[in-house]
Amino acid sequence: MSDYDFDLFVIGAGSGGVRAARVASGYGAKVAIAEESRVGGTCVIRGCVPKKLLVYGAHFAEDFEDAAAYGWTLPGEPSFSWKKLIANKDAEIDRLNGIYHKLLAGSNVKLFEHRATFKDAHTVVVGGEEVTAERILIAVGGHPTLPDIPGIEHAISSNEAFHLEDLPKRIVVVGGGYIAVEFAGIFAGLGSRVTQLYRGDQILRGFDHDIRNHLAEEIVKKGVDLRFNTNVTAIEKQSDGSLKLTLTGGGDMEVDAVMFATGRAPNTKGLGLEAVGIETNDNGAVKINKGLQTSVPNVYAVGDVTDHVQLTPVAIKEGMAFADTVFGGKPWSMSYDAIPTAVFSQPPVGTVGLSEEEARAKGGPVEIYKSTFKPMRHTLSGRDEKTLMKLVVDKTTDVVLGAHMVGPDAAEIIQGIGIAVRLGATKAQFDQTVAVHPSAAEEFVTMRFPVAD
């Protein structure tokens, strides 16, 4: 018999924590999990899932317009209800929250619906009760951060954007990362007048430069007022409820809402890590080794709380690696190479592997293959939208180092391409693959001539 109440106690019931708990329990461990909010974490409750639903909703305005070119006549002028979209989104999140509860119960994982904090390396305090565990897994995720400027209490983050009473007529989205880009597209597609401000020279820092430049051009075509080297320095609420924003350089503008998507921080404040001796980085992220182990040997961490790669599938993989290694007797460690990812902008981005800049920085010769074309559906609609596809190839070995795309279905297409890149496929093997025609995806296996340096 164990000297502890549980073999594993998981703090945080997001995607990574739930996966680790269920798999560990499947290996025979006695497992408990604590969650002070709703089960499902950022992705399910206030992140990727509700955001993707809003992206779908935002695209219908263009679909209605394009339908005319395909012979469709709508019976009347389309109308949109923000309240109905949000209500339906909330109902779906409630459904998913219930599914997560059932998954935990079905896996024989005990759920504590309270905040858990450390008392010592083997003890947590949860709902006023002290609970002991042989091993503890930290999977508390992260949260949006807001800058310290006058009037910041009048701003919102992505969390609040999902629960606005009304769709803002005029909104400023501050930031240049994927969250900012996605929400700018959502609000613009639903009918808001959107201005996106970014303090840098180009959006999506860290992505391939062609992807960044191409997406910026397409975003502007969608009606977003995209401004670079600009930031908000102060917010003032006016008597009519509108917000007056002071911008860098002394200018100002009046809007109905301002959303900041300028960074996230790990949810480690008040967790009691210092008292246990668990080391963190300057931003509060938990330090871990390749085995996901913290500086306290029986305490582990996965997901956004480690600030490694802030992607839900990565957290899930880490949770699997932890459970397989510690409880399943099947040790393996997470690899962070060639992780496929998508930005659900409008149009969306799909990318896997090295950017051109990263490949050239490694010092070896590279070849670049690019194709820009109008998506087939717009040959009839006449919409001015272009798809970009790009391959980065090691000239010496012919291995495809990276694949990048901006255009419809980019996320779906890059998932399959990601397998090839992960397995080290060569450009010759891409070329030998029969194309699916007519499709956009076929362009990845039909580009024959590299771009001149």
Side-chain angles (χ1 to χ4, degrees):
M1 295 291 291
S2 172
D3 294 331
Y4 303 101
D5 298 323
F6 295 95
D7 300 312
L8 172 65
F9 194 99
V10 181
I11 306 177
S15 299
V18 168
R19 179 60 61 91
R22 294 180 62 216
V23 174
S25 180
Y27 285 130
K30 186 178 181 182
V31 183
I33 192 168
E35 177 55 62
E36 64 176 326
S37 183
R38 306 182 75 188
V39 178
T42 295
C43 179
V44 172
I45 307 301
R46 64 193 74 85
C48 4
V49 172
K51 180 179 61 184
K52 187 71 178 292
L53 294 176
L54 296 192
V55 169
Y56 283 139
H59 214 279
F60 278 99
E62 286 191 356
D63 291 343
F64 290 140
E65 290 179 1
D66 295 347
Y70 286 87
W72 289 91
T73 301
L74 298 178
E77 189 70 23
S79 61
F80 168 69
S81 170
W82 169 262
K83 291 184 185 298
K84 186 170 184 178
L85 173 60
I86 296 304
N88 289 346
K89 178 268 296 179
D90 288 343
E92 174 61 9
I93 300 311
D94 288 343
R95 186 185 73 86
L96 293 174
N97 181 59
I99 287 175
Y100 268 75
H101 275 266
K102 291 178 181 178
L103 288 173
L104 289 172
S107 300
N108 201 30
V109 175
K110 180 175 176 58
L111 172 63
F112 289 85
E113 297 188 74
H114 300 281
R115 177 176 174 79
T117 57
F118 280 92
K119 180 180 180 182
D120 59 46
H122 290 281
T123 309
V124 296
V125 178
V126 54
E129 177 184 356
E130 291 188 5
V131 179
T132 62
E134 183 176 5
R135 294 180 179 87
I136 298 173
L137 177 67
I138 305 169
V140 293
H143 64 275
T145 58
L146 297 176
D148 184 14
I149 61 172
I152 193 61
E153 66 274 11
H154 303 304
I156 63 171
S157 70
S158 56
N159 284 357
E160 294 77 34
F162 290 116
H163 303 286
L164 291 172
E165 288 282 329
D166 299 294
L167 178 69
K169 292 182 179 179
R170 305 163 299 174
I171 185 169
V172 162
V173 178
V174 185
Y178 70 95
I179 296 175
V181 167
E182 289 169 339
F183 270 99
I186 288 168
F187 285 119
L190 295 176
S192 298
R193 197 167 78 204
V194 180
T195 303
Q196 184 178 351
L197 308 179
Y198 181 48
R199 64 183 180 180
D201 295 326
Q202 187 57 279
I203 57 173
L204 294 184
R205 181 169 58 90
F207 284 69
D208 184 273
H209 72 280
D210 282 323
I211 297 299
R212 301 173 70 192
N213 294 336
H214 186 89
L215 181 63
E217 292 174 2
E218 295 300 317
I219 284 174
V220 172
K221 291 179 187 177
K222 302 285 186 183
V224 174
D225 180 5
L226 183 58
R227 306 184 191 182
F228 301 113
N229 302 303
T230 308
N231 210 344
V232 176
T233 58
I235 306 169
E236 179 185 350
K237 190 164 187 175
Q238 303 187 105
S239 58
D240 64 355
S242 65
L243 302 176
K244 180 181 178 182
L245 309 183
T246 302
L247 308 179
T248 48
D252 59 60
M253 62 188 306
E254 186 177 289
V255 296
D256 301 300
V258 55
M259 173 185 156
F260 281 83
T262 50
R264 295 179 63 83
N267 286 326
T268 51
K269 187 175 182 180
L271 200 57
L273 303 183
E274 303 85 356
V276 187
I278 297 172
E279 296 180 2
T280 60
N281 296 323
D282 292 341
N283 67 346
V286 177
K287 292 183 179 181
I288 55 173
N289 60 20
K290 289 184 178 180
L292 306 170
Q293 200 170 29
T294 72
S295 54
V296 176
N298 71 292
V299 180
Y300 300 76
V302 298
D304 289 2
V305 73
T306 67
D307 200 23
H308 276 186
V309 179
Q310 295 187 23
L311 293 171
T312 296
V314 170
I316 291 172
K317 281 284 189 182
E318 290 176 338
M320 284 286 293
F322 162 77
D324 285 347
T325 300
V326 176
F327 294 99
K330 298 181 288 187
W332 62 281
S333 57
M334 176 71 190
S335 170
Y336 299 94
D337 295 328
I339 296 174
T341 189
V343 181
F344 293 103
S345 48
Q346 298 189 40
V349 172
T351 180
V352 62
L354 299 181
S355 67
E356 179 180 343
E357 295 76 24
E358 290 171 331
R360 293 192 185 282
K362 288 182 175 292
V366 298
E367 287 186 325
I368 305 299
Y369 296 79
K370 283 195 293 187
S371 179
T372 304
F373 56 93
K374 178 177 285 192
M376 187 175 181
R377 69 170 287 171
H378 294 317
T379 58
L380 292 190
S381 75
R383 188 172 296 280
D384 182 19
E385 181 177 310
K386 296 291 180 63
T387 288
L388 169 68
M389 291 175 142
K390 180 174 183 177
L391 291 175
V392 180
V393 179
D394 186 314
K395 191 171 183 178
T396 303
T397 65
D398 198 42
V399 169
V400 176
L401 303 174
H404 313 278
M405 175 180 177
V406 180
D409 302 317
E412 310 298 335
I413 292 170
I414 212 66
Q415 180 68 83
I417 299 295
I419 298 172
V421 174
R422 177 78 180 173
L423 293 177
T426 64
K427 181 64 170 62
Q429 290 170 325
F430 270 61
D431 295 344
Q432 291 161 6
T433 303
V434 176
V436 176
H437 181 76
S439 72
E442 68 179 303
E443 203 71 19
F444 273 124
V445 298
T446 58
M447 290 186 280
R448 293 292 185 265
F449 303 103
V451 177
D453 289 335

